[in-house]
Amino acid sequence: MSTPLLEVQKIGKQFPGVIALQDVDFCIEKGEVLALIGENGAGKSTLMKILAGVYTTDTGQILIDGQPVTIKSVRDAQALGVSLIHQELNVADNLDVAANLYLGREPQHLGVIDRAKLYKDAEALLKRAGFDLDPRAPLRSLSIGHQQLVEIAKAISTDARIIIMDEPTSSLSQHETEALFDVIRDLRGRGISIVYISHRLSEVKEVADRVVGLRDGRNAGALTREEISHESMIKLMVGRELSQLFPHSALTPGEVVLEVKNLRTSLYPEHTASFSLRAGEVVGVAGLVGAGRSEMLNALFGVDSTFGGEVRVAGTLVEPNSVGSAIRAGIGLVPEDRKGQGLVVQMSVRHNMSLSALWKNNYMGVLDRVAEKKISDEMIPRMSIKTPNDMQVVQLLSGGNQQKVVIGKWLALQPRVLLLDEPTRGIDVGAKREIYMLMDELAKAGVAILFVSSDLEEVMGMSDRMLVMHEGCIAGELKREELSEEAVMRLATGHVAA
Amino acid sequence: MKKNLGIFLILMVICAITAYLDPKFLGAYNLQNTIRWSGIYGIMAIGVSLVIITGGIDMTIGSVIGLIGCLLPFLLTKYGWHLRYAIPTVLAISAVIGLVNGLLVTKLRLQPFVVTLCGWLFYRGIVRYIAGDATQGFGTTCQPMKNFLKKNFLEYFTGVPHSFDIPMVFILMLIIAAIFAFFLNRTIWGRYLLALGRNEQAAKFSGIRTDRIIILAYTLSGLLAGLTGIILVANVNSADPSGFGLGYEMYAIAGAVLGGCSLKGGEGSILGVVIGSALLRVLYNSINILGIPTQLEFAVIGIVILIGVMADEVVRRIAAKRAALARIKAA
């Protein structure tokens, strides 16, 4: 075997009080797409940050082309040809594409930017990368997918030989994801190596040449192209087989609990959505980014203003644009942005969980602190939330546990309809499964569940029925037995009328 | 709680140093006067702290004090109103001023600073026009009210002066502080206020009508500023429309910030604000007593507040770092 492009030997990294990486070995060949998988906290990010020069190693060594190198800063890493593309893009969206490409290294004379050269270089670079982007387009006019291409082009311009992508598809639509994969394959064709970090196993399966797993900061094993499968990857990550990731078993649904008629959202006021939900049903909502899925949930919950339409829970009309009315009718919403909308992260677990139930738990405005404590005392064990105590500030919990707090907040009100918006985004496999089980348990208890997810695999695995949205309308409805990726995509892209 | 203890210690240290350097500080007259003013500052600081907790700011306070302080004697002397109508009227006016601020901030989504800065100009102009720039006062009328608000606690009830006594105003402030501490910590509206100050979106997604709570905070701030105006004019018996209460919003804000309120919102305790206001007043008194040139007064107060805020930030960062380490440990 020839010398690998990059080799990491027995790398260790310690943070005060915790060993983040221990004796990790790892190598990548020229022109290889290597997927790095592992649960949150397994050490993936730490390892990549070491390669990119954000952290330095404590022990072990890094070899590039067989030669030991020291990477002490991002600049060192770039000089050696290693570029990291962060999950949250580092772009200045008030500037145009060319300015972003050469940010901090603009061609200049005495501090005056040589604009002619800037645009000429940018154009040449984009052409070389094969991206169809206008160097003069303001970045904010581009989709997230295209903004990502700008970052990739930037990496190419520094003559990167290894590009590390940390969860690159977390905010991309299906289409954009496909386009990104084409770019990745093209880069591989030019001999550039890609390290791909993702929680989405189906993507890993599609794009990776090899999979390396980390668990608790150590090597958990590797899979060759032929060995890659869902089961093998899950086993690699959690160290045991998960017989079934999606535990949901379909039941016979009960009465209609939620009826939505001609709902118009602010995003697509010209279109309407109508559907209904039965007790004990889990209904997934699929669609491309921008199809108006979150807007629909927010509108029917009353946080976003609606432009007509009616929502009924068990026959009773819900007052439009009133969250209070929706809550009293028995609707709960686990919003898309956990930290921005779901939680007051500086407040404790107990106070977050009681926040939406205080209208019930008070005597003429005075807090009923006994009832408040009862909620967290009940929910923490029921949802196995890992927290030292219920006065712990939510900020300090992991993403999965934070999400459980948001769900618990609604369970405390015993909702009849639970709306979940991207409930498992950015959560590791173990916590995901716990949330799926909870959804199943709630459905069995007769709660109607409507959930939006961009993870198609998840929607298909959990839904009894699926609504596919396109530009604010329900483009179609699929029964469990009709579910297939092709059917969903056809509806989501608006190719077939329902 | 720890934070309040810290600022309380600073207050005690400044008191101790001043008392050591000049025992006059502990003289009954000086001490009572300082306590009286701490009470007055405390009342308006409690008001503005509620607004600061929402993440807003109320710049109208000084002008509201000016307006109410002049309007009350004006209504009583010029129009011969009875006190029992005049007091509720001026308090209602101050509450309405707060209400208008709140409505503009929530319903029109205007920036609190801009809204209340315009109010600062507007109400000052209005009061100068109404009073024709003439200084207002009660003269020798309204003795019972002045007595109540001016006298000391024991003296008022027993009728005989005591060698040391707590000013009535301070007692009044303590009662108000107790009410608002209860409001903030034990009622759902207080909880809503703290929640929306930190994350208004999340509060909305929890079914809280955040606009109402914000409007309530501005209204209460206006009301307490009006009350401060009444107390102040009863104490000094003369209000000049162009200068009465001028700049007092700064004392209120400084007191609230010293007391641990973050201008980002969501943070603050009433006890802290009370201590912070007292600290401000003690500082002012120390400068006078120690013979530091009064021209330096603002400079000294400014530096002390800055040091206080810097120390707080340093402590906060250390705490955040510790929390991060604890998190790494837990992960």
Side-chain angles (χ1 to χ4, degrees):
Chain A
M1 203 168 110
S2 64
T3 335
L5 173 59
L6 178 135
E7 196 174 357
V8 163
Q9 292 176 341
K10 301 253 172 266
I11 258 189
K13 175 74 186 171
Q14 215 166 343
F15 290 111
V18 68
I19 297 166
L21 291 173
Q22 196 173 9
D23 293 338
V24 172
D25 292 325
F26 164 90
C27 72
I28 182 161
E29 306 288 338
K30 188 168 186 255
E32 183 182 40
V33 179
L34 181 95
L36 193 62
I37 61 172
E39 294 191 270
N40 285 346
K44 296 170 303 205
S45 297
T46 310
L47 180 57
M48 290 307 112
K49 282 180 178 165
I50 287 172
L51 293 183
V54 182
Y55 298 150
T56 52
T57 58
D58 294 339
T59 55
Q61 62 173 348
I62 302 169
L63 306 173
I64 287 182
D65 293 327
Q67 298 300 312
V69 294
T70 44
I71 300 178
K72 283 203 172 135
S73 67
V74 178
R75 217 168 264 261
D76 288 353
Q78 270 175 3
L80 291 163
V82 182
S83 262
L84 173 66
I85 294 173
H86 288 273
Q87 186 173 2
E88 274 100 33
L89 299 176
N90 289 318
V91 291
D93 69 357
N94 53 336
L95 301 178
D96 64 16
V97 170
N100 266 285
L101 284 174
Y102 291 99
L103 199 61
R105 51 198 177 100
E106 294 84 357
Q108 47 110 7
H109 299 291
L110 301 167
V112 179
I113 295 175
D114 181 349
R115 294 175 63 87
K117 185 166 160 41
L118 175 70
Y119 287 108
K120 215 178 80 197
D121 288 359
E123 210 155 321
L125 171 63
L126 290 169
K127 206 168 167 192
R128 179 153 66 96
F131 300 155
D132 184 22
L133 292 176
D134 176 6
R136 289 170 197 277
L139 221 72
R140 87 168 76 78
S141 70
L142 303 182
S143 66
I144 303 276
H146 281 160
Q147 293 187 12
Q148 208 167 39
L149 292 185
V150 173
E151 288 247 48
I152 294 173
K154 205 163 144 184
I156 294 173
S157 77
T158 60
D159 292 321
R161 293 193 290 167
I162 299 170
I163 299 179
I164 303 166
M165 299 184 185
D166 191 359
E167 297 271 359
T169 58
S170 60
S171 42
L172 297 190
S173 66
Q174 194 78 22
H175 267 319
E176 290 174 318
T177 303
E178 296 293 338
L180 177 72
F181 288 168
D182 287 339
V183 170
I184 289 177
R185 289 187 193 106
D186 179 56
L187 293 173
R188 174 175 60 186
R190 299 152 182 249
I192 294 177
S193 310
I194 309 284
V195 181
Y196 188 88
I197 302 177
S198 182
H199 275 123
R200 298 192 181 164
L201 300 182
S202 54
E203 290 174 4
V204 171
K205 207 164 107 184
E206 191 173 337
V207 79
D209 296 321
R210 199 155 58 89
V211 168
V212 168
L214 288 182
R215 197 189 315 141
D216 302 327
R218 295 162 195 263
N219 280 90
L223 301 168
T224 61
R225 176 82 217 153
E226 296 72 41
E227 291 166 346
I228 297 174
S229 73
H230 270 98
E231 295 69 37
S232 62
M233 284 191 282
I234 289 171
K235 197 177 164 194
L236 205 59
M237 281 197 284
V238 297
R240 64 197 143 89
E241 305 228 20
L242 285 181
S243 51
Q244 216 189 345
L245 187 57
F246 303 112
H248 185 56
S249 43
L251 348 118
T252 339
E255 304 266 284
V256 170
V257 256
L258 178 75
E259 262 185 287
V260 176
K261 264 192 212 144
N262 300 323
L263 190 69
R264 291 176 194 271
T265 64
S266 50
L267 187 64
Y268 294 106
E270 70 277 22
H271 293 155
T272 63
S274 305
F275 61 91
S276 61
L277 235 69
R278 290 169 179 277
E281 231 185 351
V282 178
V283 176
V285 183
L288 302 176
V289 170
R293 294 169 301 169
S294 300
E295 287 77 5
M296 185 187 71
L297 292 195
N298 290 351
L300 91 87
F301 188 59
V303 256
D304 280 5
S305 45
T306 54
F307 286 80
E310 51 174 59
V311 176
R312 283 173 192 277
V313 175
T316 323
L317 193 67
V318 177
E319 206 182 305
N321 308 328
S322 162
V323 182
S325 170
I327 291 174
R328 277 186 293 275
I331 306 181
L333 169 68
V334 175
E336 183 181 17
D337 181 357
R338 187 165 57 231
K339 289 181 188 168
Q341 301 168 331
L343 294 166
V344 181
V345 292
Q346 305 92 333
M347 291 205 324
S348 64
V349 172
R350 187 199 296 177
H351 290 174
N352 267 288
M353 278 192 173
S354 67
L355 198 56
S356 49
L358 292 181
W359 59 275
K360 263 184 170 176
N361 300 328
N362 71 81
Y363 309 107
M364 294 164 64
V366 179
L367 295 169
D368 180 352
R369 300 202 289 177
V370 177
E372 205 179 356
K373 179 147 173 50
K374 230 172 86 186
I375 294 175
S376 49
D377 282 352
E378 185 199 331
M379 291 301 160
I380 290 173
R382 175 169 167 197
M383 310 189 54
S384 49
I385 297 172
K386 286 182 205 106
T387 173
N389 59 62
D390 68 348
M391 288 311 282
Q392 174 84 337
V393 175
V394 167
Q395 214 160 22
L396 301 178
L397 303 184
S398 71
N401 284 307
Q402 286 183 353
Q403 191 67 300
K404 288 186 204 164
V405 173
V406 185
I407 298 174
K409 177 170 140 178
W410 295 113
L411 294 197
L413 285 167
Q414 292 161 326
R416 310 179 76 151
V417 180
L418 189 60
L419 314 173
L420 299 158
D421 198 349
E422 303 283 359
T424 63
R425 176 181 281 177
I427 290 180
D428 63 53
V429 179
K432 267 186 189 175
R433 186 172 156 81
E434 282 180 330
I435 286 176
Y436 298 145
M437 293 205 300
L438 198 70
M439 285 166 69
D440 187 49
E441 183 195 313
L442 289 172
K444 284 200 176 101
V447 178
I449 296 179
L450 186 68
F451 84 109
V452 164
S453 172
S454 293
D455 185 345
L456 204 50
E457 194 186 343
E458 172 179 298
V459 196
M460 294 193 359
M462 285 304 294
S463 309
D464 293 322
R465 191 153 64 89
M466 191 193 291
L467 303 174
V468 185
M469 286 192 74
H470 175 67
E471 291 184 356
C473 312
I474 307 291
E477 195 183 310
L478 298 167
K479 293 199 190 71
R480 194 173 175 89
E481 54 276 14
E482 297 169 338
L483 291 181
S484 74
E485 250 170 81
E486 295 71 45
V488 173
M489 286 323 290
R490 260 203 308 277
L491 289 169
T493 49
H495 282 162
V496 193
Chain B
M1 218 52 232
K2 249 187 211 161
K3 211 168 176 177
N4 290 341
L5 195 64
I7 175 150
F8 184 69
L9 285 177
I10 296 173
L11 175 65
M12 287 299 118
V13 168
I14 294 181
C15 286
I17 293 174
T18 315
Y20 173 76
L21 292 175
D22 191 340
K24 227 181 20 244
F25 178 74
L26 291 179
Y29 175 77
N30 184 63
L31 212 51
Q32 279 170 18
N33 199 40
T34 301
I35 292 173
R36 178 192 319 275
W37 280 93
S38 301
I40 294 175
Y41 277 22
I43 293 173
M44 58 179 192
I46 289 170
V48 82
S49 69
L50 299 176
V51 171
I52 289 175
I53 288 172
T54 69
I57 194 88
D58 188 352
M59 300 296 292
T60 58
I61 290 170
S63 297
V64 171
I65 290 174
L67 177 69
I68 302 303
C70 292
L71 204 57
L72 182 65
F74 185 74
L75 290 175
L76 293 171
T77 55
K78 182 125 190 222
Y79 289 95
W81 282 37
H82 195 281
L83 211 53
R84 86 169 70 100
Y85 303 117
I87 297 250
T89 304
V90 294
L91 284 178
I93 291 172
S94 57
V96 168
I97 290 173
L99 179 74
V100 170
N101 288 338
L103 285 170
L104 290 170
V105 166
T106 53
K107 301 300 175 195
L108 291 185
R109 298 265 139 228
L110 300 180
Q111 287 177 350
F113 184 83
V114 177
V115 167
T116 57
L117 184 67
C118 294
W120 182 89
L121 293 164
F122 182 77
Y123 300 117
R124 180 63 66 184
I126 291 295
V127 68
R128 288 183 59 181
Y129 175 75
I130 292 177
D133 258 350
T135 300
Q136 303 294 314
F138 303 106
T140 52
T141 64
C142 305
Q143 277 313 328
M145 179 191 73
K146 281 192 284 185
N147 268 339
F148 178 70
L149 292 174
K150 254 176 104 164
K151 285 218 166 123
N152 292 328
F153 185 68
L154 294 174
E155 185 189 359
Y156 182 76
F157 285 106
T158 61
V160 272
H162 288 63
S163 57
F164 185 75
D165 205 345
I166 303 285
M168 198 57 119
V169 173
F170 190 78
I171 303 283
L172 203 60
M173 185 276 284
L174 289 183
I175 294 170
I176 291 171
I179 293 171
F180 280 93
F182 185 82
F183 169 79
L184 194 60
N185 300 312
R186 293 293 172 86
T187 71
I188 52 173
W189 307 293
R191 178 67 61 74
Y192 290 169
L193 193 64
L194 288 166
L196 77 87
R198 288 186 159 132
N199 189 342
E200 196 176 339
Q201 277 286 322
K204 276 191 179 142
F205 273 82
S206 301
I208 298 168
R209 300 200 204 188
T210 52
D211 284 2
R212 289 190 182 184
I213 304 292
I214 293 173
I215 292 169
L216 178 66
Y218 279 92
T219 308
L220 289 170
S221 178
L223 184 66
L224 289 180
L227 183 62
T228 310
I230 296 173
I231 292 169
L232 208 55
V233 74
N235 268 274
V236 297
N237 200 9
S238 129
D240 153 32
S242 60
F244 193 70
L246 193 66
Y248 273 41
E249 61 281 342
M250 289 304 167
Y251 295 125
I253 295 166
V257 170
L258 271 176
C261 288
S262 159
L263 289 180
K264 286 191 208 104
E267 240 176 282
S269 82
I270 300 296
L271 180 60
V273 171
V274 168
I275 302 172
S277 310
L279 177 57
L280 207 61
R281 199 57 213 181
V282 166
L283 214 54
Y284 170 80
N285 187 229
S286 306
I287 292 165
N288 279 320
I289 274 196
L290 298 181
I292 296 169
T294 43
Q295 294 96 320
L296 280 176
E297 177 194 324
F298 278 0
V300 173
I301 293 179
I303 281 290
V304 169
I305 295 176
L306 189 64
I307 292 172
V309 174
M310 282 189 326
D312 186 48
E313 192 56 42
V314 170
V315 170
R316 199 195 305 268
R317 281 194 196 171
I318 292 171
K321 210 166 190 181
R322 272 200 200 145
L325 291 182
R327 223 169 137 187
I328 291 172
K329 221 176 265 177

